[in-house]
Each structure stands twice: as C-alpha cells, then as structure tokens.
Amino acid sequence: MKSKAKSKKKSNLRILKDMFLELLPVLHNQGFVESPFVNSSPGWHPWLGYIYDFARLDESQLELFSVIIPIRSASYEVRYTILEVYPKPNNISDIKNGCEFVIKSITDNIGTERLPYLFYEQNIIQRVFMYPSGYILKFRFTKWGRRRQEQKLFERVKSDFERIDKAKKNWYKRHTPIVVDWNGDPISSNSDKPNADKEQ
C-alpha cells in the first residue's frame, strides 16, 4: 500500500510539473521572467516539492510571482505580491546587478496574496464555496475522468495567468506596496523618497 501511495504522489507531481512547464509561455507573454535574484532556485526542493519564482517590473513596481507544487498535495500554490523599488530602475537587470535582492519577500511580505482568491473581491461566498481548494487536481477513478480533470485545471490556470493584471488591480485595493531600495532593504520613512504615484 505504501508503494502505491508513493507512486501516486510522484505521478501527481510529475503531471502538475509538466502542466506548469507548458504554461510558462503564458507567463512570459504577460511580461514575467524567471526570477534573476539571489535565493531564487527554480526546480526541485527536497521535502517541499517544485518551486518556480518569477518577477515583472512595471515602472518602479516589482511584482513577485511564485508557483509551488507541494510534495504532499495534488495542487498548485500560487503567491503574488508587489514591492516598490526606489530609486526607479530602468530594467530588472539594474536591480539584479546592483544588489543581492531578497526574493524571500514573497513569503515575508505581509502583502502576499494567493491566487485564485486574489481575483475576487472580499466575497466570502466566492472564496469559500466557488474555489475552496484553489488549484487542485481532483481525484477520479477512471483514466478518462482524470484526464478531464487535468484539462480543466490546465484551462483554469491558463485563464488566470492571462488575466493577472486583474489580480494586480485587486491587490492594490487591499495593500500598499513596501518600498525597498536596490538591495531589497525596506525604506522606513517616506522622507527618504519623493512621493510616488500609486497604481490607479
């Protein structure tokens, strides 16, 4: 029994990993790149599963996007947050070359949200009843049923990746980004920088 359960978990991991790799062009089309920052190590992490980190720079707004495929769960965990970088970089390479940027902000930042819940307003009915489990690969007894669930999950994640800008707008309704310098260190006082325009 243990052998079958272990094999099943590996199968879920492989299916979800391969599915996500197929979805990479969708993220790239939205302007996200594989995170160039230190502490970002894409791929397999023992005891955790697969972790892939991405970043997108829009003016001074640095969006951090992380996809986790937990080893003990047939699901995706997708985290998203925004930092404001000061001084304003010309491109993401400015930050990478100027510092050892701390990618762990995606977990430490109190503004980190999870998809798909970020797509919806603070509507408890949507959050609990429509999508109680996030991006989960549901179990089915037949091969046909399993393939159908895989396709449904693929289409759903693809659709959400394609409308990530909606999640960004909703994020700004709930949070104000932490301001950091090119070293990834928080700027504690607004007096250290001129007022920046907030996302409209």
Side-chain angles (χ1 to χ4, degrees):
M1 295 296 293
K2 280 188 178 180
S3 176
K4 288 184 179 179
K6 188 174 182 181
S7 175
K8 188 174 179 181
K9 287 177 183 176
K10 284 185 177 179
S11 177
N12 286 334
L13 279 173
R14 184 174 64 252
I15 291 169
L16 290 169
K17 183 197 75 170
D18 292 345
M19 184 186 300
F20 173 71
L21 294 179
E22 285 188 53
L23 289 164
L24 273 180
V26 181
L27 281 178
H28 293 159
N29 288 340
Q30 298 300 314
F32 283 92
V33 297
E34 282 76 2
S35 174
F37 308 124
V38 70
N39 293 342
S40 177
S41 179
W44 176 251
H45 292 251
W47 310 110
L48 295 175
Y50 291 98
I51 301 177
Y52 300 92
D53 297 316
F54 301 86
R56 179 172 73 172
L57 185 65
D58 182 7
E59 297 293 332
S60 62
Q61 302 159 7
L62 180 66
E63 299 169 67
L64 300 178
F65 189 93
S66 184
V67 176
I68 303 168
I69 309 173
I71 193 171
R72 300 184 183 279
S73 175
S75 65
Y76 293 117
E77 183 179 314
V78 183
R79 300 175 181 177
Y80 176 87
T81 193
I82 302 174
L83 302 175
E84 182 181 346
V85 183
Y86 180 83
K88 175 184 172 182
N90 292 319
N91 54 62
I92 206 164
S93 295
D94 290 342
I95 310 173
K96 176 191 175 186
N97 296 332
C99 71
E100 292 185 347
F101 199 89
V102 184
I103 195 62
K104 68 186 180 70
S105 295
I106 195 71
T107 54
D108 290 352
N109 189 351
I110 57 174
T112 296
E113 292 270 1
R114 295 192 182 188
L115 275 63
Y117 309 113
L118 188 54
F119 285 109
Y120 308 99
E121 303 296 337
Q122 301 287 359
N123 186 322
I124 194 64
I125 295 178
Q126 289 179 318
R127 292 171 69 97
V128 174
F129 292 99
M130 290 181 65
Y131 297 105
S133 304
Y135 301 117
I136 188 168
L137 181 60
K138 296 180 180 179
F139 174 77
R140 290 294 184 268
F141 288 101
T142 66
K143 287 184 179 180
W144 180 87
R146 186 173 181 82
R147 287 171 184 162
R148 185 168 180 270
Q149 288 303 313
E150 290 171 13
Q151 186 62 33
K152 286 176 65 176
L153 180 60
F154 180 90
E155 293 298 333
R156 181 179 168 208
V157 176
K158 180 176 181 289
S159 174
D160 284 355
F161 283 1
E162 289 174 337
R163 60 192 185 116
I164 190 66
D165 285 341
K166 179 179 178 180
K168 180 179 180 179
K169 289 180 180 179
N170 286 346
W171 189 93
Y172 269 101
K173 292 178 182 178
R174 305 177 191 178
H175 306 284
T176 298
I178 296 173
V179 182
V180 298
D181 60 23
W182 286 17
N183 293 316
D185 297 321
I187 297 177
S188 58
S189 172
N190 286 334
S191 62
D192 295 333
K193 60 178 286 295
N195 291 330
D197 293 333
K198 187 177 178 182
E199 172 78 3
Q200 298 298 324

